[in-house]
Amino acid sequence: GAVVSQHPSRVICKSGTSVKIECRSLDFQATTMFWYRQFPKKSLMLMATSNEGSKATYEQGVEKDKFLINHASLTLSTLTVTSAHPEDSSFYICSARSGTSAYNEQFFGPGTRLTVL
Amino acid sequence: TQLLEQSPQFLSIQEGENLTVYCNSSSVFSSLQWYRQEPGEGPVLLVTVVTGGEVKKLKRLTFQFGDARKDSSLHITAAQPGDTGLYLCAGTPRGSGGSNYKLTFGKGTLLTVNP
């Protein structure tokens, strides 16, 4: 149980275009989903927290107009990188928290490697 | 200020050696998780510890939660090349339940086990 999928796993796009990344909880309902960014050999950096049916909460320094998050259902959250630039190239990982978890474990997706040319 | 200090950051050892990774804080944590991440993949949950003094074993991995719930350790016995990866400790500081249950992560320990 507790499987989270992400799509696509890799994406290459041109500068100025927008890219959408999907995060799905496959076998549980995720009351809260999180989006992280990770640089090579570094720990995860939280970008935003999204709760189903409400606006995402962004961490300090993360541009909400650039990284659009939609948590439309209890099993799906999307991250759209708008007007992407080479500096947005990174590994993006989502995680999902089950409302039934007493210990706040998060289950992570496999990540999406974004390369902006 | 790093809420969870993880050490060492890098560790390169030979197959068969033992190792310990530490995760320390001045704050009390309600629970603490250890994750392992391989290159190009998402972190995988290894264990959750919740009780002060708790010890959990997962094959050759032993996890310990400090009595005061401010620190934790991961010990690997007879490491194998398949143990190579980024090990992350993460937790929720006590009293932060209202902050959307955000996890605080350590900086990670990049372990390389050479054959």
Side-chain angles (χ1 to χ4, degrees):
Chain A
V3 178
V4 176
S5 71
Q6 250 181 274
H7 178 80
S9 57
R10 289 179 178 272
V11 58
I12 300 173
C13 69
K14 293 182 179 179
S15 187
T17 61
S18 294
V19 174
K20 180 185 282 189
I21 302 169
E22 290 187 352
C23 178
R24 294 181 185 273
S25 58
L26 297 185
D27 52 0
F28 67 101
Q29 292 187 328
T31 53
T32 307
M33 286 184 168
F34 304 85
W35 287 95
Y36 295 85
R37 185 172 179 177
Q38 187 177 33
F39 294 100
K41 300 183 180 180
K42 297 293 184 183
S43 189
L44 281 70
M45 183 183 76
L46 180 65
M47 299 174 65
T49 303
S50 76
N51 292 295
E52 184 263 340
S54 62
K55 289 184 178 179
T57 302
Y58 290 81
E59 294 300 299
Q60 192 172 10
V62 178
E63 299 176 59
K64 61 180 181 182
D65 294 330
K66 179 165 187 64
F67 299 100
L68 300 179
I69 291 171
N70 187 324
H71 194 154
S73 75
L74 284 172
T75 59
L76 173 64
S77 176
T78 60
L79 167 68
T80 302
V81 183
T82 62
S83 187
H85 288 95
E87 57 266 30
D88 299 323
S89 298
S90 193
F91 194 52
Y92 292 88
I93 307 175
C94 72
S95 72
R97 176 183 176 275
S98 167
T100 60
S101 166
Y103 304 124
N104 197 32
E105 293 107 331
Q106 291 182 22
F107 299 96
F108 288 83
T112 296
R113 171 73 57 193
L114 170 64
T115 303
V116 184
L117 302 176
Chain B
T1 303
Q2 187 73 18
L3 195 58
L4 271 174
E5 295 286 347
Q6 193 172 337
S7 63
Q9 273 193 271
F10 301 95
L11 191 55
S12 181
I13 61 172
Q14 293 300 121
E15 182 175 1
E17 292 183 5
N18 302 331
L19 67 112
T20 302
V21 178
Y22 299 94
C23 192
N24 297 304
S25 178
S26 57
S27 300
V28 176
F29 281 77
S30 304
S31 64
L32 204 142
Q33 287 97 50
W34 285 92
Y35 294 85
R36 176 166 154 255
Q37 183 182 23
E38 296 192 28
E41 299 181 10
V44 174
L45 179 66
L46 296 174
V47 78
T48 298
V49 287
V50 297
T51 306
E54 183 177 8
V55 177
K56 283 191 173 179
K57 291 195 175 184
L58 186 66
K59 297 184 180 178
R60 293 176 293 99
L61 278 61
T62 302
F63 304 86
Q64 189 163 6
F65 202 14
D67 291 341
R69 292 189 290 158
K70 292 182 178 181
D71 55 88
S72 182
S73 65
L74 156 61
H75 182 79
I76 301 179
T77 304
Q80 298 176 0
D83 296 325
T84 294
L86 179 67
Y87 289 81
L88 296 158
C89 66
T92 305
R94 192 175 62 180
S96 63
S99 60
N100 272 319
Y101 303 99
K102 291 190 293 187
L103 278 180
T104 297
F105 279 87
K107 286 190 174 181
T109 295
L110 190 60
L111 171 66
T112 303
V113 182
N114 303 297

